[in-house]
Amino acid sequence: MKKHLLHAEKSIAIYPGSFDPITNGHLDIIERATFLFDEVYVLVAHNPAKSVGMFTPKERVAMIGEAVGKPLLGTHVKVDYMRELMATVDVCTRVGARAMIRGLRSITDFDSEFELAIANMELAEHIETIFMVPQPHNHFISSSKVREIFKLKGPKALLKLVPTSVMQALEKRAQQ
Ligand code: COA
């Protein structure tokens, strides 16, 4: 058995994603990940396959931070965005994270998540991908569904799907 070269004093995990915007499904994963790791580093990353998006990276970070709130924010949860185009595994190395968390909602997520996990393993063997399953009532939520519902029905229809910080941002958008 190979002994890992990297031994972080704290157990740190990165939870990367587009978070455009964060949903209650993502929050559920963040909260449960804090029971497993000393520090969960939520990273607003860039998926080259996705277009510019609804919210800027800074706006996404602010909404995530507000949704996480005290006492977790700044202690067990850190939030930031990728400032330059780079591999997420390299951010893991930079912040001393040994694990990358990804949410698995259904079998339809599996293929792409498996491919991503293998690609990341090729890039950095020492980073483990950990798949976490959101609670059943959060299985159908996705950021693109949130954006679609917002366009079709307005912010009020999203009351049970997104945190207050996102609701407020969407209400602002609706008035513009
Ligand atoms: N609750 C709600 N929705 C969830 C969820 C959960 N628990 N878990 C996943 N999702 C949804 C997201 O809302 C998103 O939905 P959408 O596409 O319909 O909007 C979808 O699942 C997947 O999105 P996300 O988790 O944000 O990942 P992504 O595919 O947009 O981005 C990156 C993946 C950014 C982490 C990846 O592209 C990356 O690491 N990029 C940097 C470059 C790199 O390192 N590439 C990999 C090596 S080649």
Coordinates of all heavy atoms in Angstrom, one line a residue, residues 58-130:
K58 N -18.5 36.8 -7.9 CA -18.6 37.6 -6.7 C -20.0 37.5 -6.1 O -20.1 37.4 -4.9 CB -18.1 39.0 -6.9 CG -16.7 39.2 -6.8 CD -16.3 40.7 -6.8 CE -14.8 40.9 -6.8 NZ -14.4 42.3 -7.1
E59 N -21.0 37.7 -6.9 CA -22.4 37.6 -6.4 C -22.7 36.2 -5.9 O -23.3 36.1 -4.8 CB -23.4 38.0 -7.5 CG -23.4 39.4 -7.9 CD -24.2 39.7 -9.2 OE1 -24.2 38.9 -10.1 OE2 -24.7 40.8 -9.3
R60 N -22.2 35.2 -6.6 CA -22.4 33.8 -6.1 C -21.8 33.6 -4.8 O -22.4 33.0 -3.9 CB -21.9 32.8 -7.1 CG -22.6 32.9 -8.5 CD -22.0 32.0 -9.5 NE -22.1 32.5 -10.9 CZ -21.7 31.9 -12.0 NH1 -21.2 30.7 -11.9 NH2 -21.9 32.4 -13.2
V61 N -20.5 34.1 -4.6 CA -19.8 33.9 -3.3 C -20.6 34.6 -2.2 O -20.8 34.0 -1.1 CB -18.4 34.5 -3.5 CG1 -17.7 34.6 -2.1 CG2 -17.5 33.6 -4.3
A62 N -21.1 35.8 -2.5 CA -21.8 36.6 -1.4 C -23.1 35.8 -1.0 O -23.4 35.7 0.2 CB -22.2 37.9 -2.0
M63 N -23.8 35.3 -2.0 CA -25.0 34.5 -1.7 C -24.7 33.2 -0.9 O -25.5 32.9 0.0 CB -25.8 34.2 -3.0 CG -26.5 35.4 -3.6 SD -27.5 34.9 -5.0 CE -26.2 34.7 -6.3
I64 N -23.7 32.6 -1.3 CA -23.3 31.3 -0.6 C -22.9 31.7 0.9 O -23.4 31.0 1.8 CB -22.1 30.6 -1.3 CG1 -22.5 30.2 -2.7 CG2 -21.7 29.4 -0.4 CD1 -21.3 29.7 -3.5
G65 N -22.1 32.7 1.0 CA -21.6 33.1 2.4 C -22.8 33.5 3.3 O -22.8 33.0 4.4
E66 N -23.7 34.2 2.7 CA -24.9 34.6 3.5 C -25.7 33.4 3.9 O -26.2 33.3 5.0 CB -25.7 35.6 2.7 CG -26.4 36.6 3.6 CD -27.2 37.6 2.7 OE1 -26.6 38.1 1.7 OE2 -28.4 37.8 3.1
A67 N -25.9 32.5 3.0 CA -26.7 31.3 3.2 C -26.0 30.4 4.3 O -26.7 29.8 5.1 CB -26.9 30.5 1.9
V68 N -24.7 30.3 4.2 CA -24.0 29.4 5.2 C -24.1 30.1 6.6 O -24.5 29.5 7.6 CB -22.6 29.2 4.8 CG1 -21.8 28.5 5.9 CG2 -22.5 28.3 3.5
G69 N -23.8 31.4 6.6 CA -24.0 32.2 7.8 C -23.2 31.8 9.0 O -22.3 30.8 8.9
K70 N -23.4 32.5 10.1 CA -22.7 32.1 11.4 C -23.3 30.9 12.0 O -24.5 30.7 11.8 CB -22.8 33.3 12.3 CG -21.9 34.5 11.9 CD -22.1 35.6 12.9 CE -21.3 36.8 12.4 NZ -21.6 38.0 13.1
P71 N -22.6 30.1 12.8 CA -21.2 30.2 13.1 C -20.3 29.5 12.2 O -19.1 29.5 12.4 CB -21.2 29.6 14.5 CG -22.2 28.5 14.4 CD -23.3 29.0 13.5
L72 N -20.8 28.9 11.1 CA -20.0 28.1 10.2 C -19.1 28.9 9.3 O -17.9 28.5 9.1 CB -20.8 27.1 9.4 CG -21.5 26.0 10.1 CD1 -22.3 25.1 9.1 CD2 -20.4 25.1 10.8
L73 N -19.6 30.0 8.8 CA -18.8 30.8 7.9 C -17.5 31.4 8.5 O -17.6 32.0 9.5 CB -19.7 31.9 7.3 CG -19.0 32.7 6.1 CD1 -18.9 31.8 4.9 CD2 -19.8 33.9 5.8
G74 N -16.4 31.1 7.8 CA -15.2 31.6 8.3 C -14.5 30.7 9.3 O -13.3 30.8 9.6
T75 N -15.3 29.8 9.9 CA -14.6 28.8 10.8 C -14.6 27.4 10.1 O -13.5 27.0 9.7 CB -15.5 28.7 12.1 OG1 -16.8 28.4 11.8 CG2 -15.4 29.9 12.9
H76 N -15.7 26.8 9.9 CA -15.7 25.5 9.2 C -15.9 25.6 7.7 O -15.7 24.6 7.0 CB -16.7 24.5 9.9 CG -16.4 24.2 11.3 ND1 -15.2 23.6 11.6 CD2 -17.0 24.5 12.4 CE1 -15.2 23.4 12.9 NE2 -16.2 24.0 13.4
V77 N -16.5 26.7 7.3 CA -16.8 26.8 5.9 C -16.1 28.1 5.3 O -16.2 29.2 5.9 CB -18.3 26.9 5.6 CG1 -18.6 27.1 4.1 CG2 -19.0 25.6 6.1
K78 N -15.4 27.9 4.2 CA -14.8 29.1 3.5 C -15.4 29.2 2.1 O -15.6 28.1 1.5 CB -13.3 29.0 3.5 CG -12.7 28.9 4.9 CD -11.3 29.5 5.0 CE -11.0 29.8 6.5 NZ -9.8 29.1 6.9
V79 N -15.6 30.3 1.6 CA -16.1 30.5 0.3 C -15.3 31.4 -0.5 O -14.9 32.5 -0.1 CB -17.6 31.1 0.4 CG1 -18.2 31.0 -1.0 CG2 -18.4 30.4 1.4
D80 N -15.0 31.0 -1.8 CA -14.2 31.9 -2.7 C -14.5 31.5 -4.1 O -15.2 30.5 -4.3 CB -12.7 31.7 -2.4 CG -11.9 33.0 -2.7 OD1 -12.5 33.9 -3.4 OD2 -10.7 33.1 -2.4
Y81 N -14.0 32.2 -5.0 CA -14.1 31.9 -6.4 C -12.8 31.8 -7.1 O -11.8 32.3 -6.6 CB -15.0 32.9 -7.2 CG -14.5 34.3 -7.3 CD1 -13.8 34.7 -8.4 CD2 -14.6 35.2 -6.2 CE1 -13.3 36.0 -8.5 CE2 -14.1 36.5 -6.3 CZ -13.5 36.9 -7.5 OH -13.0 38.2 -7.6
M82 N -12.8 31.1 -8.2 CA -11.5 30.9 -9.0 C -11.2 32.2 -9.7 O -12.0 32.7 -10.5 CB -11.7 29.8 -10.1 CG -11.1 28.5 -9.8 SD -11.3 27.5 -11.2 CE -11.0 25.9 -10.4
R83 N -10.1 32.8 -9.4 CA -9.7 34.0 -10.1 C -9.0 33.9 -11.4 O -8.9 34.8 -12.1 CB -8.8 34.8 -9.1 CG -9.6 35.4 -8.0 CD -8.8 36.0 -6.9 NE -9.6 36.7 -6.0 CZ -10.4 36.2 -5.1 NH1 -10.6 34.9 -5.1 NH2 -11.2 36.9 -4.3
E84 N -8.6 32.7 -11.7 CA -7.9 32.5 -13.0 C -8.3 31.1 -13.5 O -8.8 30.3 -12.7 CB -6.4 32.6 -12.9 CG -5.9 31.6 -11.8 CD -4.5 31.9 -11.4 OE1 -3.6 31.6 -12.2 OE2 -4.3 32.3 -10.2
L85 N -8.2 30.9 -14.8 CA -8.6 29.6 -15.3 C -7.5 28.5 -14.8 O -6.3 28.7 -15.1 CB -8.6 29.6 -16.8 CG -9.2 28.4 -17.5 CD1 -10.6 28.2 -17.1 CD2 -9.1 28.6 -19.1
M86 N -7.9 27.6 -14.0 CA -7.0 26.6 -13.5 C -7.8 25.3 -13.1 O -9.0 25.4 -13.0 CB -6.2 27.1 -12.3 CG -7.0 27.4 -11.1 SD -6.0 28.3 -9.8 CE -4.8 27.1 -9.4
A87 N -7.0 24.3 -12.9 CA -7.7 23.0 -12.6 C -8.1 23.1 -11.1 O -7.3 23.6 -10.3 CB -6.7 21.9 -12.8
T88 N -9.3 22.5 -10.8 CA -9.7 22.5 -9.4 C -8.8 21.7 -8.5 O -8.6 22.1 -7.4 CB -11.2 22.0 -9.4 OG1 -12.0 22.8 -10.2 CG2 -11.7 22.0 -8.0
V89 N -8.2 20.7 -9.0 CA -7.3 19.9 -8.2 C -6.1 20.7 -7.8 O -5.5 20.5 -6.7 CB -6.8 18.6 -8.9 CG1 -7.8 17.5 -9.0 CG2 -6.2 18.9 -10.3
D90 N -5.7 21.7 -8.6 CA -4.6 22.6 -8.2 C -5.0 23.5 -7.1 O -4.2 23.9 -6.3 CB -4.1 23.4 -9.4 CG -3.4 22.5 -10.4 OD1 -2.9 21.4 -10.0 OD2 -3.3 22.8 -11.6
V91 N -6.3 23.9 -7.1 CA -6.8 24.7 -5.9 C -6.7 23.8 -4.7 O -6.4 24.3 -3.6 CB -8.2 25.3 -6.2 CG1 -8.6 26.1 -5.0 CG2 -8.2 26.0 -7.5
C92 N -7.1 22.6 -4.8 CA -7.1 21.6 -3.7 C -5.7 21.6 -3.1 O -5.5 21.7 -1.9 CB -7.4 20.2 -4.1 SG -9.1 19.9 -4.6
T93 N -4.7 21.4 -4.0 CA -3.3 21.4 -3.5 C -2.9 22.7 -2.8 O -2.3 22.7 -1.7 CB -2.3 21.1 -4.7 OG1 -2.8 19.9 -5.4 CG2 -0.9 20.9 -4.3
R94 N -3.3 23.8 -3.4 CA -3.0 25.1 -2.8 C -3.5 25.3 -1.4 O -2.9 25.9 -0.6 CB -3.6 26.2 -3.8 CG -2.9 27.5 -3.6 CD -3.6 28.6 -4.5 NE -2.9 28.6 -5.8 CZ -3.3 29.5 -6.8 NH1 -4.3 30.3 -6.6 NH2 -2.6 29.5 -7.9
V95 N -4.8 24.8 -1.2 CA -5.4 25.0 0.1 C -5.2 23.8 1.1 O -5.7 23.8 2.2 CB -6.9 25.4 0.0 CG1 -7.1 26.7 -0.8 CG2 -7.7 24.3 -0.5
G96 N -4.5 22.8 0.6 CA -4.2 21.6 1.4 C -5.4 20.7 1.6 O -5.6 20.0 2.6
A97 N -6.3 20.7 0.5 CA -7.5 19.8 0.6 C -7.1 18.4 0.0 O -6.4 18.3 -1.0 CB -8.6 20.4 -0.2
R98 N -7.5 17.4 0.7 CA -7.3 16.0 0.2 C -8.5 15.5 -0.5 O -8.4 14.4 -1.1 CB -6.9 15.1 1.4 CG -5.6 15.3 2.0 CD -4.5 14.7 1.2 NE -4.9 13.3 0.9 CZ -4.7 12.3 1.7 NH1 -4.2 12.5 2.9 NH2 -5.1 11.0 1.4
A99 N -9.6 16.1 -0.4 CA -10.8 15.6 -0.9 C -11.6 16.6 -1.7 O -11.6 17.8 -1.4 CB -11.7 15.0 0.2
M100 N -12.3 16.1 -2.8 CA -13.2 17.0 -3.5 C -14.6 16.4 -3.4 O -14.8 15.2 -3.7 CB -12.7 17.0 -5.0 CG -13.5 18.0 -5.8 SD -13.1 18.0 -7.6 CE -11.4 18.3 -7.6
I101 N -15.5 17.2 -3.0 CA -16.9 16.7 -2.8 C -17.7 17.0 -4.0 O -17.7 18.1 -4.6 CB -17.6 17.4 -1.6 CG1 -16.8 17.0 -0.3 CG2 -19.0 17.0 -1.5 CD1 -17.2 17.8 0.9
R102 N -18.5 16.0 -4.5 CA -19.4 16.3 -5.6 C -20.8 15.7 -5.2 O -20.8 14.6 -4.5 CB -18.9 15.6 -6.9 CG -17.6 16.2 -7.4 CD -17.8 17.6 -8.0 NE -18.6 17.6 -9.1 CZ -19.2 18.7 -9.6 NH1 -18.9 19.9 -9.0 NH2 -19.9 18.7 -10.7
G103 N -21.8 16.4 -5.5 CA -23.2 15.9 -5.2 C -23.7 15.0 -6.3 O -23.5 15.2 -7.5
L104 N -24.3 13.9 -5.9 CA -24.9 12.9 -6.9 C -26.4 12.8 -6.6 O -26.8 12.4 -5.5 CB -24.3 11.5 -6.6 CG -23.2 11.0 -7.5 CD1 -23.0 9.5 -7.3 CD2 -23.4 11.3 -9.0
R105 N -27.2 13.4 -7.5 CA -28.6 13.4 -7.3 C -29.3 12.2 -7.9 O -30.3 11.7 -7.4 CB -29.2 14.7 -7.8 CG -28.8 15.9 -7.1 CD -29.0 17.2 -7.9 NE -28.3 17.0 -9.2 CZ -28.5 17.7 -10.2 NH1 -29.5 18.6 -10.2 NH2 -27.8 17.5 -11.4
S106 N -28.8 11.7 -9.0 CA -29.5 10.6 -9.7 C -28.5 9.9 -10.6 O -27.4 10.4 -10.8 CB -30.7 11.1 -10.5 OG -30.2 11.9 -11.5
I107 N -29.0 8.9 -11.2 CA -28.1 8.1 -12.1 C -27.7 9.0 -13.3 O -26.6 8.8 -13.8 CB -28.8 6.8 -12.5 CG1 -27.8 5.8 -13.2 CG2 -30.0 7.0 -13.4 CD1 -26.9 5.2 -12.2
T108 N -28.5 10.0 -13.6 CA -28.1 10.8 -14.8 C -26.9 11.7 -14.5 O -26.2 12.1 -15.4 CB -29.3 11.7 -15.2 OG1 -29.8 12.4 -14.0 CG2 -30.4 11.0 -15.9
D109 N -26.7 11.9 -13.2 CA -25.4 12.7 -12.8 C -24.2 11.8 -12.9 O -23.1 12.3 -13.0 CB -25.5 13.1 -11.3 CG -26.3 14.4 -11.1 OD1 -26.6 15.0 -12.1 OD2 -26.7 14.7 -10.0
F110 N -24.4 10.5 -12.8 CA -23.3 9.6 -12.6 C -22.2 9.6 -13.7 O -21.1 9.7 -13.4 CB -23.8 8.1 -12.4 CG -22.7 7.2 -12.0 CD1 -22.1 7.2 -10.7 CD2 -22.1 6.4 -13.0 CE1 -21.0 6.4 -10.4 CE2 -21.0 5.6 -12.7 CZ -20.5 5.6 -11.4
D111 N -22.7 9.4 -15.0 CA -21.7 9.4 -16.0 C -20.7 10.5 -16.1 O -19.5 10.4 -16.1 CB -22.4 9.3 -17.4 CG -22.8 7.9 -17.7 OD1 -22.5 6.9 -16.9 OD2 -23.6 7.7 -18.7
S112 N -21.3 11.8 -16.0 CA -20.4 12.9 -16.1 C -19.6 13.1 -14.9 O -18.4 13.5 -14.9 CB -21.3 14.2 -16.4 OG -22.2 14.3 -15.4
E113 N -20.2 12.7 -13.7 CA -19.4 12.8 -12.4 C -18.3 11.8 -12.4 O -17.2 12.1 -11.9 CB -20.3 12.6 -11.2 CG -21.2 13.8 -11.0 CD -20.5 15.1 -10.8 OE1 -19.4 15.2 -10.3 OE2 -21.1 16.2 -11.2
F114 N -18.5 10.6 -13.0 CA -17.5 9.6 -13.0 C -16.3 10.0 -13.9 O -15.2 9.9 -13.5 CB -18.1 8.3 -13.5 CG -17.2 7.1 -13.4 CD1 -17.0 6.5 -12.2 CD2 -16.6 6.6 -14.5 CE1 -16.2 5.4 -12.0 CE2 -15.7 5.5 -14.4 CZ -15.5 4.9 -13.2
E115 N -16.7 10.6 -15.1 CA -15.7 11.1 -16.0 C -14.8 12.2 -15.3 O -13.6 12.2 -15.5 CB -16.4 11.7 -17.2 CG -16.4 10.8 -18.4 CD -17.1 11.5 -19.6 OE1 -16.9 12.8 -19.7 OE2 -17.8 10.8 -20.3
L116 N -15.5 13.1 -14.6 CA -14.8 14.2 -14.0 C -13.9 13.7 -12.9 O -12.7 14.1 -12.8 CB -15.8 15.2 -13.3 CG -15.3 16.4 -12.6 CD1 -14.5 17.3 -13.6 CD2 -16.4 17.2 -12.0
A117 N -14.4 12.7 -12.1 CA -13.5 12.1 -11.1 C -12.3 11.4 -11.6 O -11.2 11.6 -11.1 CB -14.4 11.1 -10.2
I118 N -12.5 10.7 -12.8 CA -11.3 10.0 -13.4 C -10.3 11.1 -13.9 O -9.1 10.9 -13.7 CB -11.8 9.1 -14.5 CG1 -12.7 8.0 -14.0 CG2 -10.6 8.5 -15.3 CD1 -12.0 7.0 -13.0
A119 N -10.9 12.1 -14.6 CA -10.0 13.2 -15.1 C -9.2 13.8 -14.0 O -8.0 14.0 -14.1 CB -10.8 14.2 -15.8
N120 N -9.9 14.1 -12.9 CA -9.2 14.7 -11.7 C -8.1 13.7 -11.1 O -7.1 14.2 -10.6 CB -10.2 15.1 -10.7 CG -10.9 16.4 -11.1 OD1 -10.3 17.3 -11.8 ND2 -12.1 16.6 -10.7
M121 N -8.5 12.4 -11.1 CA -7.5 11.5 -10.6 C -6.2 11.4 -11.5 O -5.1 11.2 -11.0 CB -8.2 10.1 -10.6 CG -7.5 9.1 -9.7 SD -8.4 7.5 -9.8 CE -9.7 7.8 -8.6
E122 N -6.5 11.6 -12.8 CA -5.3 11.6 -13.7 C -4.4 12.8 -13.4 O -3.2 12.7 -13.5 CB -5.8 11.7 -15.2 CG -6.4 10.4 -15.7 CD -5.4 9.3 -15.9 OE1 -4.2 9.6 -16.1 OE2 -5.8 8.1 -15.8
L123 N -5.1 13.9 -13.1 CA -4.3 15.1 -12.9 C -3.6 15.2 -11.5 O -2.6 15.8 -11.4 CB -5.3 16.4 -13.0 CG -5.9 16.7 -14.3 CD1 -6.9 17.8 -14.2 CD2 -4.9 16.9 -15.4
A124 N -4.3 14.6 -10.5 CA -3.7 14.6 -9.2 C -4.2 13.4 -8.4 O -5.3 13.3 -7.9 CB -4.2 15.9 -8.4
E125 N -3.3 12.4 -8.4 CA -3.7 11.1 -7.8 C -4.1 11.2 -6.3 O -4.8 10.4 -5.8 CB -2.5 10.2 -8.0 CG -2.7 8.7 -7.9 CD -1.4 7.9 -7.7 OE1 -0.3 8.6 -7.7 OE2 -1.5 6.7 -7.6
H126 N -3.5 12.2 -5.6 CA -3.7 12.2 -4.2 C -5.0 12.9 -3.8 O -5.3 12.9 -2.6 CB -2.5 12.9 -3.5 CG -2.3 14.3 -4.0 ND1 -1.7 14.6 -5.2 CD2 -2.7 15.5 -3.5 CE1 -1.7 15.9 -5.4 NE2 -2.3 16.5 -4.3
I127 N -5.8 13.4 -4.7 CA -7.0 14.1 -4.4 C -8.2 13.0 -4.6 O -8.3 12.5 -5.6 CB -7.3 15.3 -5.3 CG1 -6.2 16.3 -5.3 CG2 -8.7 16.0 -4.8 CD1 -5.9 17.0 -4.0
E128 N -8.9 12.8 -3.5 CA -10.0 11.8 -3.6 C -11.3 12.5 -3.9 O -11.6 13.6 -3.3 CB -10.2 11.1 -2.2 CG -9.0 10.2 -1.8 CD -8.8 9.0 -2.7 OE1 -9.8 8.7 -3.5 OE2 -7.7 8.5 -2.7
T129 N -12.1 12.0 -4.8 CA -13.5 12.5 -5.0 C -14.4 11.8 -4.1 O -14.4 10.6 -4.0 CB -13.9 12.3 -6.5 OG1 -13.0 13.0 -7.3 CG2 -15.3 12.8 -6.7
I130 N -15.2 12.6 -3.4 CA -16.2 12.0 -2.4 C -17.6 12.4 -3.0 O -17.9 13.6 -3.1 CB -16.1 12.6 -1.0 CG1 -14.6 12.6 -0.5 CG2 -17.0 11.9 0.0 CD1 -14.1 11.3 0.1

